Amino acid sequence: MATSIYGDYIKSVIRTVKDWPEPGVNFRDITPVLQNSAAFRKLIDSFVHRYQELDIDAIAAIDARGFIIGAPLAYELGCSFVPVRKKGKLPFRTISETYSLEYGESTVELHSDAFQAGDRILLVDDLIATGGTMLAAARLIERSGGIIVETAAIIDLPELGGGDMIRAEGYSVFAACTFTEDE
């Protein structure tokens, strides 16, 4: 798993909220990074430095926290920004992908005309936990003709296995930082 040169710094700014949203869960809160201009710049720079010399046509960002890094990254890389939304949020013709969650199913959607065949896409989100959302979005992108250059997130939680599952499906994974359960 590749991580950022600023990973330790970014990780130090992320707040851990114990027992939220339920007992036993350590929620990794990125809002302190967003509120700290130096940390936010280092976070975006982590992605810009990794991808600035690659031929990327678009950033596909997953609803909703993926938008936080996806939009400034697209701006910095001079490429387009495409939102991957939760079901029912896009106004035009869509394609959708349903995936399993611990407690049921969820669906993500993409405008049917979001990409041209062969477009090189960087897929971003805030967090990789079990990997289901990232994989569903990757499948959508490929169905629309896009090619996934890499999947990227602010945080990877390796103990939940999402990064491994994404790599097992043939995608490269990058995270600015990782957290283990006991951190």
Side-chain angles (χ1 to χ4, degrees), residues 72-148:
L73 182 57
Y75 173 81
E76 288 292 329
L77 295 179
C79 63
S80 65
F81 173 83
V82 175
V84 177
R85 300 294 315 264
K86 294 172 185 156
K87 185 177 181 172
K89 300 290 184 180
L90 292 171
F92 189 64
R93 287 188 306 273
T94 62
I95 58 174
S96 62
E97 185 79 23
T98 299
Y99 59 101
S100 296
L101 301 168
E102 291 177 64
Y103 49 86
E105 291 183 333
S106 190
T107 301
V108 290
E109 294 182 326
L110 182 66
H111 276 143
S112 58
D113 64 350
F115 304 114
Q116 301 295 315
D119 279 354
R120 294 173 47 83
I121 313 303
L122 174 62
L123 177 59
V124 300
D125 202 359
D126 66 321
L127 178 82
I128 299 171
T130 62
T133 308
M134 189 76 81
L135 284 173
R139 288 183 195 113
L140 272 179
I141 292 164
E142 289 183 336
R143 282 177 39 210
S144 72
I147 299 165
I148 304 292

Side-chain angles (χ1 to χ4, degrees), residues 30 34 40 43-45 47-48 51 56-84 121-127 152-154:
I30 64 168
L34 307 176
F40 187 55
L43 175 65
I44 298 303
D45 284 351
F47 295 102
V48 170
Y51 301 111
I56 295 175
D57 296 301
I59 304 298
I62 298 172
D63 196 346
R65 290 183 298 255
F67 299 171
I68 295 168
I69 56 172
L73 182 57
Y75 173 81
E76 288 292 329
L77 295 179
C79 63
S80 65
F81 173 83
V82 175
V84 177
I121 313 303
L122 174 62
L123 177 59
V124 300
D125 202 359
D126 66 321
L127 178 82
I154 299 170

